[in-house]
Amino acid sequence: MAFPLPETLTPSKMSAFKSCPLAFRFSAIDKLPDPPTVASTQGNIVHLALEYLYERAPEDRTERHAQEDLNRAFVEMEHDRIYVDLNLDDDAKVDLRQHAARLVADYFDIEDPVAVEPVGVEVKLQAKLDGATIRGILDRLDVDEGGRPLSDYKALALDTPIVTPGGWTTMGEVRVGDRVIGDDGRPVRVSGVTDVMKN
């Protein structure tokens, strides 16, 4: 039996195909919804908090305001099905909030949001590669003297596929100075990478 091919792909779907083709089929072909997890829900809440933070004037992007934005994100998400379906008990809810608060605090060790000049947040990207449409969402696109740095708040698995002008590579192989496909479908140079993050 032939299955219809997906019309578009995302890095997470390509990673699923490499690690578990059956998971890829369930997600990309059968379009079965992924059950919510504590980690993915926490990531959604922290992303939302940082989105709120960058709605503020640069001088107001303080850690105190970021924690207020995190509380706002929790209020917004507490009735969302993704959060509700976790069926967390009170202790688990406290653990989730405390861990999310630590992640937001740790963010200020990575960069100074006051110095960041974003062009946009949650920017939708699309590019064609060998006839396939690759889609994704960029957490933040910045203005910088050296170009347009791309920011992604979540750490991607080292085997996550990355599109380059010469074909595919993986997140673990990307180095400063490499060129990858940017938001407009044209090559951009990687200006910085973080150390490998471990749980």
Side-chain angles (χ1 to χ4, degrees):
M1 175 180 193
F3 294 101
L5 294 175
E7 295 179 2
T8 61
L9 292 171
T10 64
S12 60
K13 282 188 172 67
M14 291 182 287
S15 182
F17 179 78
K18 289 180 68 176
S19 62
C20 180
L22 186 58
F24 173 83
R25 175 193 158 178
F26 290 157
S27 174
I29 297 173
D30 296 339
K31 301 196 182 304
L32 299 177
D34 290 327
T37 65
V38 171
S40 63
T41 303
Q42 177 180 263
N44 290 338
I45 293 170
V46 171
H47 270 74
L48 185 56
L50 293 176
E51 190 174 342
Y52 291 152
L53 182 69
Y54 279 100
E55 291 175 355
R56 296 179 180 271
E59 64 272 14
D60 292 331
R61 296 177 195 149
T62 63
E63 186 176 340
R64 180 176 64 83
H65 282 138
Q67 295 295 345
E68 290 174 4
D69 292 332
L70 180 63
N71 289 333
R72 177 183 169 194
F74 266 104
V75 169
E76 183 166 326
M77 288 290 293
E78 67 183 357
H79 298 296
D80 191 291
R81 183 176 176 186
I82 293 173
Y83 183 81
V84 173
D85 284 355
L86 292 175
N87 290 318
L88 300 178
D89 61 27
D90 289 342
D91 288 340
K93 289 178 181 178
V94 169
D95 287 345
L96 176 60
R97 278 184 174 266
Q98 289 177 342
H99 193 240
R102 283 196 304 272
L103 289 174
V104 168
D106 289 347
Y107 168 68
F108 284 78
D109 292 333
I110 297 171
E111 66 180 347
D112 177 9
V114 172
V116 173
E117 188 180 345
V119 173
V121 294
E122 298 299 307
V123 180
K124 293 182 179 178
L125 312 177
Q126 181 172 306
K128 288 272 190 185
L129 184 68
D130 294 335
T133 300
I134 312 300
R135 288 185 177 167
I137 299 177
L138 182 66
D139 292 333
R140 200 181 73 227
L141 181 63
D142 301 340
V143 173
D144 185 81
E145 292 179 4
R148 295 184 298 171
L150 314 178
S151 297
D152 192 89
Y153 300 135
K154 63 184 173 294
L156 297 175
L158 294 179
D159 63 353
T160 299
I162 302 295
V163 185
T164 78
W168 294 99
T169 187
T170 63
M171 179 60 75
E173 295 298 319
V174 171
R175 300 289 182 265
V176 172
D178 290 351
R179 297 195 312 157
V180 298
I181 300 300
D183 62 306
D184 55 4
R186 293 183 296 185
V188 294
R189 198 163 296 281
V190 176
S191 61
V193 296
T194 65
D195 293 333
V196 175
M197 301 176 191
K198 299 180 180 177
N199 293 332

